[in-house]
Amino acid sequence: DLTMNKAPPSYVTSQLMEYLDLSPYLQDTSCNRRVAPWSPTYDGWMRDCKKPLSLPFLMETETTCIVDHTCTGIRCCVEMSLLDRSFVYSMKLDACNFVLTVGIEKLSYDKSLIGYKFGAKSQFYINGVFKIDFIIDELPSSNEFLLSMNVSVCTVSLTGQ
């Protein structure tokens, strides 16, 4: 008996990932927000970047993110309590080579920033279940970029609602 308040046994989650054709994209082990490198954090963020950043408070979500030492990369560990599993989402903007790399678990995609439409909403997803919506704004006066990112795990298709 499966209820919305209790995660299914791990073999059921594995079967569901197989059924949805997601297994080939998943890491062998799930990220764990309660241990390094994802913890400890007081606001949901780990900062390897030494620059001052304006970051939203993540503690009310099931997400912990790391801003890398270059300040142009982000990785997030997103817990999905319904499945008792976590998933890694990532983005890296390489301004020197004009490449944006977007990833979910093992799957990543490189997008050239030459001719890229800054300020427009883009998305990257796997089989309608894992999704990253993002907007990159170019700030030419300061030689910086502003990244707005929303990560999600679609539970509607998982629960049949």
Side-chain angles (χ1 to χ4, degrees):
D1 185 30
L2 181 62
T3 65
M4 293 301 290
N5 297 336
K6 187 176 177 187
S10 61
Y11 75 89
V12 173
T13 299
S14 294
Q15 288 176 340
L16 180 61
M17 295 296 119
E18 287 288 334
Y19 175 77
L20 295 171
D21 196 27
L22 297 170
S23 295
Y25 308 113
L26 300 180
Q27 301 286 348
D28 294 333
T29 56
S30 186
C31 58
N32 184 344
R33 295 177 52 230
R34 287 157 191 78
V35 298
W38 306 101
S39 179
T41 176
Y42 71 93
D43 61 355
W45 290 95
M46 296 297 290
R47 294 167 179 84
D48 290 336
C49 172
K50 302 304 178 206
K51 292 183 180 181
L53 300 170
S54 173
L55 301 169
F57 191 70
L58 297 178
M59 287 309 290
E60 300 301 318
T61 69
E62 294 184 318
T63 303
T64 300
C65 295
I66 301 170
V67 180
D68 74 10
H69 70 282
T70 68
C71 305
T72 63
I74 184 171
R75 288 184 305 138
C76 296
C77 179
V78 179
E79 281 184 12
M80 182 63 196
S81 54
L82 178 65
L83 298 177
D84 195 28
R85 194 179 193 302
S86 300
F87 306 94
V88 175
Y89 291 71
S90 61
M91 292 189 79
K92 175 85 172 168
L93 196 150
D94 181 345
C96 295
N97 294 307
F98 303 106
V99 174
L100 172 68
T101 302
V102 182
I104 301 172
E105 290 283 304
K106 289 183 191 175
L107 183 64
S108 67
Y109 172 72
D110 289 336
K111 170 94 176 132
S112 173
L113 294 176
I114 297 172
Y116 185 81
K117 187 170 181 177
F118 291 99
K121 183 177 178 181
S122 298
Q123 57 183 209
F124 180 72
Y125 56 92
I126 302 176
N127 296 351
V129 177
F130 304 111
K131 185 170 148 183
I132 301 177
D133 294 311
F134 60 95
I135 298 172
I136 301 172
D137 290 304
E138 189 176 24
L139 308 174
S141 62
S142 60
N143 289 325
E144 295 179 326
F145 296 93
L146 174 65
L147 170 65
S148 301
M149 179 172 111
N150 183 41
V151 299
S152 58
V153 179
C154 178
T155 58
V156 174
S157 63
L158 296 177
T159 61
Q161 297 179 357

